[in-house]
Amino acid sequence: KNQVEQSPQSLIILEGKNCTLQCNYTVSPFSNLRWYKQDTGRGPVSLTIMTFSENTKSNRRYTATLDADTKQSSLHITASQLSDSASYICVVSGNNNDMRFGAGTRLTVKP
Amino acid sequence: GAVVSQHPSWVICKSGTSVKIECRSLDFQATTMFWYRQFPKQSLMLMATSNEGSKATYEQGVEKDKFLINHASLTLSTLTVTSAHPEDSSFYICSALDWNTGELFFGEGSRLTVL
């Protein structure tokens, strides 16, 4: 079983709408959690990195939350744009740079 | 601008030949680099972890003699796909860990097509 589970697997929303992506993990001990955006055919780009003590972190229209007790994270996208269409990948790190990747959520924003 | 550079961005080769892909960290030293492959519409699959000056650690099911990884300096890691076959055609991505900041930066990927 993958140590990082993302949901939903895919999501289609209309431009301007909000959405929330989920990432649940079992990686332990926990070091940090990263969210990446990957456009088709490109390398992933970092959106945010969260450590144990951080609950919420915002970056423009992206807001990430982390509940280290329940081992859950979410990525909320506000006022979606067509350019938000991409795969969003959750990466959880344990000790010794041991990184575990979620399978990603493929988001499609339609006009 | 990009802080991790991959080269080439795309390559086409004949079956049986070997292909080398380079991954460079441009603005920082990366003691650890990672190599992944990604098939269309699928998630990244970690192939191996590369530590400068030591042998790479391969994930289960990845042939180390097929995918040669060298991390000879703090800014360069290379992946060589040996005796490539059409089933090796994929998108190969590297990432580099900035030890000072903890940031993980990805390259833009290299698309390999084996004819």
Side-chain angles (χ1 to χ4, degrees), chain A residues 1-11 20-26 33-38 47 71-75 77 86-92 100-107, chain B residues 38 42-44:
Chain A
K1 181 174 169 61
N2 194 8
Q3 295 184 54
V4 180
E5 297 283 349
Q6 286 189 246
S7 62
Q9 185 176 22
S10 62
L11 181 63
T20 300
L21 315 180
Q22 296 288 345
C23 176
N24 298 338
Y25 62 93
T26 59
L33 183 147
R34 301 173 168 96
W35 281 97
Y36 288 88
K37 177 187 178 187
Q38 184 182 21
L47 293 176
K71 295 182 168 54
Q72 295 179 328
S73 177
S74 67
L75 180 68
I77 304 175
S87 289
Y88 291 83
I89 303 169
C90 174
V91 182
V92 182
R100 299 294 161 185
F101 286 72
T105 293
R106 183 173 294 275
L107 174 66
Chain B
Q38 186 176 36
Q42 294 191 22
S43 62
L44 292 171

Side-chain angles (χ1 to χ4, degrees), chain B:
Chain B
V3 295
V4 174
S5 172
Q6 260 189 261
H7 178 80
S9 56
W10 58 270
V11 57
I12 301 173
C13 69
K14 292 183 179 180
S15 184
T17 60
S18 294
V19 175
K20 180 185 285 188
I21 301 170
E22 293 186 349
C23 178
R24 293 181 184 273
S25 60
L26 301 180
D27 301 321
F28 61 96
Q29 293 182 333
T31 54
T32 305
M33 290 185 173
F34 305 88
W35 286 96
Y36 317 80
R37 66 188 298 181
Q38 186 176 36
F39 293 107
K41 297 186 178 182
Q42 294 191 22
S43 62
L44 292 171
M45 290 174 45
L46 180 64
M47 298 175 66
T49 301
S50 168
N51 293 300
E52 187 267 337
S54 64
K55 291 183 178 180
T57 302
Y58 290 80
E59 294 296 300
Q60 190 173 8
V62 178
E63 301 175 57
K64 61 180 181 181
D65 295 328
K66 171 77 173 176
F67 300 99
L68 300 178
I69 292 173
N70 183 280
H71 193 162
S73 78
L74 289 172
T75 59
L76 174 65
S77 177
T78 61
L79 167 69
T80 302
V81 182
T82 62
S83 186
H85 292 285
E87 57 265 30
D88 297 324
S89 298
S90 186
F91 192 52
Y92 292 87
I93 304 175
C94 74
S95 69
L97 182 66
D98 184 339
W99 187 257
N100 288 327
T101 65
E103 284 286 343
L104 182 68
F105 298 99
F106 284 83
E108 283 294 312
S110 300
R111 184 164 300 283
L112 170 64
T113 301
V114 185
L115 302 177

Side-chain angles (χ1 to χ4, degrees), chain A residues 11-72:
Chain A
L11 181 63
I12 301 174
I13 61 174
L14 293 176
E15 185 179 12
K17 297 296 185 181
N18 305 334
C19 67
T20 300
L21 315 180
Q22 296 288 345
C23 176
N24 298 338
Y25 62 93
T26 59
V27 175
S28 182
F30 171 83
S31 178
N32 58 63
L33 183 147
R34 301 173 168 96
W35 281 97
Y36 288 88
K37 177 187 178 187
Q38 184 182 21
D39 293 314
T40 302
R42 306 290 297 274
V45 173
S46 178
L47 293 176
T48 187
I49 178 171
M50 301 190 75
T51 58
F52 186 88
S53 59
E54 296 172 310
N55 300 120
T56 303
K57 196 177 261 191
S58 293
N59 177 6
R60 294 187 293 176
R61 293 180 298 103
Y62 300 104
T63 299
T65 66
L66 174 66
D67 186 334
D69 292 329
T70 62
K71 295 182 168 54
Q72 295 179 328

